[in-house]
Amino acid sequence: MVQLMGKTMPKDHQMVNNFFQAKKSVEKLGLGCTKIDCCPKGCMLYYRENCHKSITNCFIFGMERYYTVTRRGIEKKSVVKKMWYFPIITRLRRLYSSMATALT
């Protein structure tokens, strides 16, 4: 999608060419994200005091946190559901660091 948009832009555009470059440019801004494991029904987050790998079942419904994936004869545990958390404080700092956006 990024490459297609790049082809429609004028010759002297400054848009990135691929997803990897886009991700690197967002990380340079300091606008990262945190991935947090959660219950498949969304009732519980495995965060802070519940983030230990030893907690494998939801406290409310008892649903499993991990499922097993077998690839090339190797079993690996994968998280059933993840939540992406984008911290608001870093975004607000970035927004109000410029006088032009702070006054409007």
Side-chain angles (χ1 to χ4, degrees):
M1 186 73 154
V2 174
Q3 291 172 349
L4 179 64
M5 287 175 29
K7 290 179 182 176
T8 61
M9 301 289 283
K11 294 280 184 196
D12 57 345
H13 69 86
Q14 295 181 352
M15 189 170 161
V16 295
N17 295 326
N18 56 29
F19 179 73
F20 178 73
Q21 289 178 345
K23 190 174 177 181
K24 278 181 60 175
S25 63
V26 170
E27 287 175 358
K28 285 181 186 176
L29 293 174
L31 303 176
C33 69
T34 305
K35 296 176 194 173
I36 302 172
D37 300 349
C38 59
C39 174
K41 290 194 175 186
C43 63
M44 179 181 161
L45 298 178
Y46 297 99
Y47 187 66
R48 294 198 182 175
E49 66 272 356
N50 297 328
C51 70
H52 302 291
K53 304 272 184 195
S54 62
I55 299 173
T56 58
N57 291 338
C58 171
F59 295 149
I60 299 167
F61 292 108
M63 298 187 75
E64 288 286 327
R65 178 179 182 179
Y66 301 106
Y67 66 95
T68 306
V69 177
T70 305
R71 292 186 184 153
R72 299 181 184 153
I74 300 171
E75 288 189 2
K76 181 181 175 185
K77 287 188 174 184
S78 255
V79 179
V80 174
K81 188 175 181 181
K82 283 187 182 181
M83 178 185 86
W84 293 58
Y85 171 67
F86 297 95
I88 188 78
I89 294 171
T90 55
R91 281 152 176 74
L92 289 175
R93 282 183 188 151
R94 187 75 177 171
L95 177 67
Y96 290 112
S97 65
S98 169
M99 288 298 276
T101 57
L103 298 176
T104 58

